[in-house]
Amino acid sequence: MDNDVDVIFGYPGGSVLPIFDSLYEMNPSFKNYLCRHEQGLIHAAEGYARVTGKTGVVLATSGPGITNLLTGIADAMLDSLPLVVIAGQVSSAVIGTDAFQEADVIGLTTPISKHNYQIKNVADIPRIMNEAFHIASSGRKGPVVIDIPKNISEALVEGDYSGDFHLAGYQPTTQPNAGQIERVLEALLQAEKPVLLAGAGVHFAKANEELLTFLDRYPMPVVNTLQGIGALPGSHRLSLGMGGMHGSYASNQAIINADLLINIGSRFDDRLTGKLSEFSPHSKVVHIDIDPAEIGKNIKVDIPVVSDAKLALEALLEADAVQVDYSDWIDHCLAKKEDKPFWYYNYDQLISPQWFIEKVSQKTNHQAIVITDVGQHQMWAAQFYCQDKPLSFVSSGGLGTMGFGLPAAIGAQIGRPDETVALFVGDGGYQMTIQELATIKQYNLPVKIFILNNETLGMVRQWQELLYDEHYSESLFNDGKNPDFVKIADGYGIKGMQISQESIVDEALEEVFAYDGPVVVEVMIPMKEKVFPMVPAGKGNGEMTGVKPI
């Protein structure tokens, strides 16, 4: 509570029963949400953290409790999400004896967490808790794990509760260097073809307004990463959309031909860059990032700026403006966007998934909090849901975790209860955490769930078709291998429906968004539909296939 926490996601077990007993006394001012699996807990906490900007808190028991959290910890680490994960542990006296439900939490989480602790003295709890929240939410955000042996959680703290701490070895740089800011301004003055790349760091720093002001002063084409969706409104005139493997032709061409690339808060992930030597070969590169370890890691950087994105943009705006005019370059990039937009086939009766997502975008006036799982639908949502709001597109980017979507939608709806949450999920990923429908029902969370059902692991199937001679090895769920998703929803007490024809989509969406409660909508889509355009693995972004035919 001292760290502004009033919501946690926890699942009880023997080693954490003393903590849950204390929570019992604190309800309802301090609310625990019980998911149905520990993986559900941590993805829910990720969704909560992503849409609120607050630290998500997870509580699970020892042994299988903590091992079921590992995927989510790794996921949060790669996507820089602030979490404090509290794991129960067997009593101190039996640690190292292969005791019942014992797991080496420190050993398991060291490579996938920002930091971890094992508490050995009950008096250390206040300090360690405060340190954990500070580390998770400062600098480059990330998950921090606290391992608490049962005898420690049963003990009483006596004396100082203040939890004061001083971390001499952890002092993240947040303020930009004045000399670096001056060099960025000089680069802006010299550039003729600049591009701004907006990543998740813009969201995390809550720098969206500053980004808009910067673009008012220095208008230039903007490309976003997957996690940077919504950093600039998707309908903004200067937005070229997502770059990279399944990004827009205009975005990739703009980066390839730029003479100045300003990256704010993106780590140059390989799904964005493609073949590194062909990514942006003619540009001077500015990289603004709060994590100095990311600067120069993948791409040679000419002007490094170690800083919080908001503070860097403020510093650029406080400096005297330099006079620039990139209008010819902007017109050139916008013409590419107009000529080669994202596209899809229209079918006579079957539902094009891209068309359906556009329909949802229009129906929600581009204002819903969009959650995705991982796969084809994830890329279609990134391409065709025009997201205008910051902190409102939630997806597993770095780890690419199937099963992420449904519990992340739970956390997002809890974090922003008054807003519409729309989940796009494939029939594969949906079944990985399908038991969380019980959580949605228990708390009556009005999540709108759209299962884009192509009866296959769509992205796997696409790669098998294009790269493995159509050897569909273990990727097909057709011929009755999928369950009846409408009946399953009904079994959990949730409204369900199936849509298989375009002609009823408008009416169905009207009903879905008018309904005061959760809805599961199974949308039948063509099995062979692909995600285009696409940069083949190992190729440069100039070698896209499936660009809109002339």
Side-chain angles (χ1 to χ4, degrees):
M1 296 178 79
D2 288 345
N3 285 281
D4 192 28
V5 177
D6 54 10
V7 166
I8 67 171
F9 300 88
Y11 199 108
S15 295
V16 287
L17 284 180
I19 302 175
F20 273 89
D21 192 57
S22 296
L23 292 175
Y24 183 84
E25 301 291 337
M26 298 169 72
N27 189 41
S29 60
F30 192 88
K31 179 70 175 176
N32 179 74
Y33 286 89
L34 173 69
C35 292
R36 296 303 187 266
H37 191 286
E38 285 89 353
Q39 187 174 352
L41 295 179
I42 195 156
H43 293 326
E46 288 183 275
Y48 177 86
R50 184 62 189 266
V51 304
T52 64
K54 298 174 66 175
T55 299
V57 181
V58 180
L59 172 60
T61 194
S62 63
I66 180 64
T67 58
N68 284 338
L69 297 176
L70 295 180
T71 298
I73 295 172
D75 193 272
M77 186 68 181
L78 280 177
D79 285 349
S80 306
L81 293 174
L83 299 182
V84 169
V85 179
I86 301 168
Q89 182 57 279
V90 299
S91 292
S92 302
V94 294
I95 289 178
T97 67
D98 293 336
F100 177 68
Q101 291 194 333
E102 180 187 4
D104 178 5
V105 173
I106 300 302
L108 289 167
T109 61
T110 293
I112 58 172
S113 64
K114 186 174 178 182
H115 194 59
N116 58 21
Y117 298 89
Q118 185 176 75
I119 298 181
K120 297 179 179 178
N121 187 323
V122 65
D124 292 334
I125 287 180
R127 173 184 59 81
I128 287 177
M129 282 292 171
N130 286 341
E131 286 182 2
F133 278 92
H134 174 69
I135 293 170
S137 61
S138 60
R140 179 177 177 174
K141 298 174 173 57
V144 176
V145 179
I146 304 173
D147 189 35
I148 305 182
K150 186 173 183 179
N151 59 303
I152 298 293
S153 61
E154 287 176 326
L156 295 174
V157 181
E158 296 180 355
D160 183 12
Y161 286 81
S162 67
D164 291 342
F165 64 90
H166 177 64
L167 297 172
Y170 177 74
Q171 300 292 331
T173 299
T174 57
Q175 291 282 351
N177 177 279
Q180 293 168 338
I181 292 298
E182 187 64 31
R183 290 180 64 195
V184 176
L185 292 168
E186 290 172 3
L188 284 169
L189 184 61
Q190 295 166 2
E192 296 180 355
K193 297 186 290 185
V195 170
L196 191 147
L197 175 64
V202 176
H203 290 302
F204 295 145
K206 297 184 177 178
N208 308 86
E209 290 298 325
E210 287 75 12
L211 179 62
L212 285 168
T213 306
F214 179 79
L215 291 170
D216 285 341
R217 182 177 297 182
Y218 302 110
M220 67 181 72
V222 178
V223 176
N224 60 263
T225 66
L226 175 70
Q227 301 291 16
I229 289 176
L232 180 71
S235 58
H236 193 284
R237 184 180 79 91
L238 295 173
S239 173
L240 300 181
M242 185 174 70
M245 177 177 281
H246 293 297
S248 73
Y249 177 78
S251 289
N252 285 338
Q253 285 295 311
I255 291 177
I256 289 170
N257 293 295
D259 63 1
L260 173 64
L261 178 62
I262 303 174
N263 174 2
I264 305 180
S266 158
R267 59 187 175 87
F268 286 125
D269 177 80
D270 61 298
R271 286 295 172 106
L272 169 75
T273 63
K275 189 176 182 179
L276 288 174
S277 61
E278 299 177 13
F279 174 58
S280 189
H282 313 296
S283 68
K284 180 176 287 185
V285 177
V286 175
H287 192 174
I288 300 172
D289 201 296
I290 201 164
D291 184 355
E294 289 297 338
I295 296 179
K297 186 178 79 175
N298 296 328
I299 294 289
K300 180 178 178 296
V301 173
D302 299 285
I303 305 176
V305 181
V306 180
S307 172
D308 172 270
K310 186 185 186 82
L311 297 177
L313 285 166
E314 286 178 347
L316 287 166
L317 291 168
E318 288 168 1
D320 292 337
V322 296
Q323 297 303 309
V324 300
D325 181 3
Y326 310 131
S327 54
D328 289 346
W329 168 240
I330 292 171
D331 291 343
H332 171 81
C333 292
L334 294 180
K336 295 280 187 188
K337 180 181 178 182
E338 181 73 20
D339 291 344
K340 302 288 185 184
F342 292 122
W343 66 285
Y344 52 85
Y345 289 111
N346 284 306
Y347 300 91
D348 287 338
Q349 292 296 324
L350 299 175
I351 297 174
S352 299
Q354 305 94 329
W355 174 85
F356 181 82
I357 291 168
E358 280 188 320
K359 279 284 185 183
V360 175
S361 184
Q362 294 161 7
K363 183 66 184 174
T364 55
N365 197 28
H366 322 304
Q367 299 294 308
I369 299 172
V370 171
I371 316 294
T372 81
D373 205 75
V374 170
Q376 286 183 309
H377 70 277
Q378 178 189 30
M379 294 297 105
W380 289 324
Q383 293 174 341
F384 290 94
Y385 191 97
C386 181
Q387 182 55 264
D388 276 348
K389 290 170 56 176
L391 291 172
S392 297
F393 189 92
V394 179
S395 192
S396 171
L399 199 62
T401 304
M402 289 179 66
F404 169 88
L406 185 58
I410 291 171
Q413 189 72 80
I414 291 169
R416 282 156 63 176
D418 298 328
E419 298 187 46
T420 298
V421 173
L423 164 66
F424 296 108
V425 61
D427 49 311
Y430 185 60
Q431 295 181 79
M432 288 190 170
T433 48
I434 196 170
Q435 73 281 352
E436 299 307 337
L437 288 176
T439 310
I440 287 176
K441 176 61 180 176
Q442 177 177 347
Y443 300 106
N444 193 32
L445 303 172
V447 179
K448 312 308 179 190
I449 302 167
F450 300 104
I451 310 168
L452 300 184
N453 185 0
N454 53 10
E455 299 185 296
T456 178
L457 298 173
M459 195 64 89
V460 174
R461 187 198 174 284
Q462 175 169 333
W463 281 48
Q464 289 173 332
E465 178 178 335
L466 299 177
L467 305 173
Y468 293 91
D469 297 326
E470 302 185 13
H471 295 167
Y472 301 122
S473 179
E474 303 298 335
S475 60
L476 305 182
F477 293 142
N478 59 349
D479 297 329
K481 298 186 185 74
N482 258 338
D484 186 326
F485 291 119
V486 176
K487 284 185 177 177
I488 288 177
D490 184 62
Y492 280 102
I494 294 175
K495 180 182 178 66
M497 64 174 73
Q498 186 191 71
I499 307 174
S500 57
Q501 293 184 336
E502 282 190 4
S503 59
I504 63 171
V505 165
D506 284 330
E507 182 182 351
L509 289 181
E510 193 70 31
E511 181 179 348
V512 167
F513 287 107
Y515 184 72
D516 185 20
V519 185
V520 173
V521 185
E522 181 184 16
V523 186
M524 304 306 296
I525 64 172
M527 175 182 285
K528 294 185 178 180
E529 188 64 28
K530 298 180 188 65
V531 181
F532 281 132
M534 173 182 179
V535 178
K539 301 290 186 181
N541 287 347
E543 300 176 80
M544 299 191 84
T545 62
V547 177
K548 180 179 173 57
I550 296 174

